[in-house]
Amino acid sequence: MSAVGPDWVEHRREDGELLGWIRPHDDAWVAISLLGREVSPPVEWLDAEEALEALGLAWLANAWVLERPDAPAVRVRLVDVRPGQVVVQTDDFGAIDVPVTRIALPWPAPPELRPATPDDAVVFGMS
């Protein structure tokens, strides 16, 4: 899957911001995040909506880790998330003079892109 399915329904916040999609699954519904990942098992429609509402958009601003098979893992930030692609850039840790590298990933985002955890702070020298 590399695109939003024709039977997926957009789910938006009250202010119109897209939170994700809800897609049919047999007699149930599955919530899909902006990264194209399932964020609920097959559930009732209202439960799928609640899953997306609970996720919100704040997670987009969090630090992420990109695991790479041919190089060390790198701490990244999401720059552009939309059906078709996910773009991340190496984390500048808030400095304006640090060079960053942008990396284009497929959509849905691969499992190698994961939220940063407290244990990652040690790996990336933030402890």
Side-chain angles (χ1 to χ4, degrees), residues 10-127:
E10 289 184 350
H11 181 73
R12 296 181 176 272
R13 294 189 314 196
E14 288 181 9
D15 65 1
E17 286 292 326
L18 181 65
L19 292 177
W21 299 267
I22 299 173
R23 70 169 176 80
H25 182 276
D26 297 328
D27 292 334
W29 304 93
V30 175
I32 308 293
S33 75
L34 293 176
L35 287 175
R37 295 177 175 169
E38 294 182 1
V39 294
S40 79
V43 293
E44 297 293 323
W45 179 269
L46 291 178
D47 294 327
E49 285 185 323
E50 286 178 16
L52 289 171
E53 292 288 334
L55 185 62
L57 292 175
W59 60 274
L60 290 169
N62 295 338
W64 292 74
V65 173
L66 180 60
E67 303 282 351
R68 303 179 296 175
D70 55 345
V74 62
R75 183 178 158 113
V76 296
R77 298 285 180 165
L78 300 173
V79 180
D80 183 17
V81 178
R82 60 187 145 127
Q85 76 172 3
V86 174
V87 178
V88 299
Q89 76 178 26
T90 52
D91 196 355
D92 60 16
F93 298 96
I96 61 171
D97 59 346
V98 173
V100 295
T101 301
R102 289 198 171 188
I103 303 164
L105 302 170
W107 189 92
E112 293 80 16
L113 180 65
R114 63 171 177 79
T117 66
D119 291 339
D120 293 320
V122 174
V123 173
F124 295 109
M126 298 200 51
S127 59

